[in-house]
Amino acid sequence: MLNASIKTPGSIIIIGAGPIGIAAAAQALSRGLTPLVLEKGTTVGTAMLKWGHVKVFTPWQYIVDNRLVPY
């Protein structure tokens, strides 16, 4: 059961703690929202770590949101 504080206005649930999920959380914070990031794995970016053998063709600078720098 979810904590009642998650149901308050201004809260948002983000599924996945990969680059896109973390960027979404940063965007939410920049808009005054309170994000709750849910990740199936044991750490941030679990799927990307599992796919370490797969080359990511997009340069890192285009994957990571600049709003993450302050955090």
Side-chain angles (χ1 to χ4, degrees):
M1 175 173 233
L2 293 176
N3 185 319
S5 64
I6 296 170
K7 298 177 186 177
T8 60
S11 297
I12 184 170
I13 295 175
I14 298 168
I15 300 172
I20 302 301
I22 299 301
Q27 291 284 338
L29 285 169
S30 74
R31 289 167 169 75
L33 299 171
T34 303
L36 171 65
V37 180
L38 303 177
E39 171 60 45
K40 180 180 178 182
T42 58
T43 184
V44 170
T46 296
M48 286 192 75
L49 293 173
K50 286 183 180 178
W51 303 336
H53 64 286
V54 176
K55 182 168 175 55
V56 178
F57 293 99
T58 305
W60 193 250
Q61 66 194 30
Y62 299 118
I63 296 174
V64 177
D65 191 321
N66 288 335
R67 285 188 174 86
L68 293 174
V69 175
Y71 303 102

